[in-house]
Amino acid sequence: MITSGNKQLDDFLDGGFRKELTLIYGPGASGKTTLVKIAAIGQLNDKRKKVVFIDTENQFSINRFMQLSGPNYLHYLDRLLLLKPNNFEEQCKKIDFLISMVNIDLIIIDSLGFYYRKLVRDSPVEINKKMDRQLRILTEISRKGIPVLITNQVSANPETGEIKSVGGEMIKKWMKCLIELKKEPRKILIKRPEEKEIGFEILNEGIKLLS
């Protein structure tokens, strides 16, 4: 286990995030990036630790990171490797590169399906094969004891209103922990390994769980 960066959330998660693949999915502005940034800061509090953050959406806000981390943000940024792939092929290459990295304590991908969803309809076999390779690599990394936090966008069924993570079961099957975020009202729903939920608020300094 590693800390989520928030004591209340650690308790809700029975100790924090597992050293496995965790998928955090939900609609835009539901809190996905806030959660993974808090987790990154939780690791960077230890001066010996390093975090890789793959930002596919090119929306990593330094100002928000500063707000969440406080006055030590420069020391944290020194040990945060921020990677920004410009397309799906670059995302594949950067994830390939991760397997050779050493002394990394947390990997974050925000978000996994951003480029994938733009390409998969036109070339489903090829793109799904490349996504499958990415997930195999990330699984292999997690087996070395490095936790991997993955955010993902969602799509809604227009008839039923059901919310699904981009990539559906193909991506979910690799995950040991599934966390869905609701926006109105804000909720954290653990879907795997066991189901439970709790309300929460997003604050300037992070999040607050609602009992």
Side-chain angles (χ1 to χ4, degrees):
M1 291 286 203
I2 65 164
T3 179
S4 68
N6 178 282
K7 179 60 169 61
Q8 288 181 305
L9 185 55
D10 282 348
D11 292 342
F12 182 66
L13 294 171
D14 297 324
F17 289 118
R18 299 167 183 267
K19 292 185 177 181
E20 298 171 330
L21 264 63
T22 296
L23 181 67
I24 302 170
Y25 62 100
S30 59
K32 301 184 297 294
T33 300
T34 295
L35 254 62
V36 294
K37 280 184 176 177
I38 292 170
I41 292 164
Q43 295 307 293
L44 296 170
N45 275 327
D46 184 333
K47 295 180 180 180
R48 299 166 298 176
K49 295 191 175 182
K50 297 178 182 178
V51 174
V52 174
F53 195 114
I54 299 180
D55 174 26
T56 66
E57 300 186 35
N58 197 27
Q59 292 187 352
F60 186 93
S61 168
I62 294 294
N63 288 336
R64 180 58 171 151
F65 186 85
M66 290 167 56
Q67 189 179 51
L68 291 168
S69 58
N72 290 325
Y73 74 93
L74 285 176
H75 299 290
Y76 296 160
L77 287 172
D78 283 344
R79 290 175 285 112
L80 178 72
L81 177 58
L82 183 60
L83 305 176
K84 292 176 175 269
N86 294 310
N87 52 55
F88 189 68
E89 288 302 321
E90 285 191 16
Q91 178 178 322
C92 292
K93 290 177 181 178
K94 290 187 186 302
I95 289 177
D96 280 351
F97 174 68
L98 294 177
I99 198 72
S100 63
M101 296 188 72
V102 296
N103 299 323
I104 297 299
D105 299 282
L106 172 63
I107 292 171
I108 293 168
I109 302 171
D110 185 30
S111 63
L112 185 68
F114 180 69
Y115 293 119
Y116 167 86
R117 75 186 305 172
K118 298 178 180 181
L119 301 175
V120 69
R121 288 185 180 180
D122 293 332
S123 306
V125 175
E126 177 188 0
I127 299 304
N128 280 330
K129 183 177 179 180
K130 290 180 177 180
M131 178 58 78
D132 187 77
R133 175 179 169 78
Q134 292 180 46
L135 292 164
R136 287 182 186 277
I137 289 171
L138 294 171
T139 298
E140 183 63 28
I141 290 170
S142 72
R143 287 173 179 163
K144 297 178 181 180
I146 301 172
V148 180
L149 301 182
I150 298 169
T151 72
N152 207 5
Q153 301 171 337
V154 296
S155 60
N157 185 314
E159 296 181 358
T160 65
E162 181 184 4
I163 298 295
K164 291 186 177 181
S165 174
V166 169
E169 293 302 319
M170 186 200 70
I171 291 177
K172 282 186 175 181
K173 71 180 182 180
W174 292 92
M175 304 298 153
K176 297 297 184 181
C177 181
L178 291 174
I179 300 174
E180 181 181 353
L181 299 186
K182 297 285 190 181
K183 188 176 177 182
E184 295 178 358
R186 292 195 185 279
K187 287 185 180 181
I188 299 173
L189 291 83
I190 309 298
K191 300 287 191 174
R192 187 185 299 166
E194 60 181 22
E195 294 191 9
K196 56 182 177 178
E197 66 178 66
I198 194 168
F200 76 108
E201 295 177 347
I202 297 178
L203 310 173
N204 287 340
E205 62 272 21
I207 65 167
K208 176 183 178 183
L209 300 195
L210 306 175
S211 56

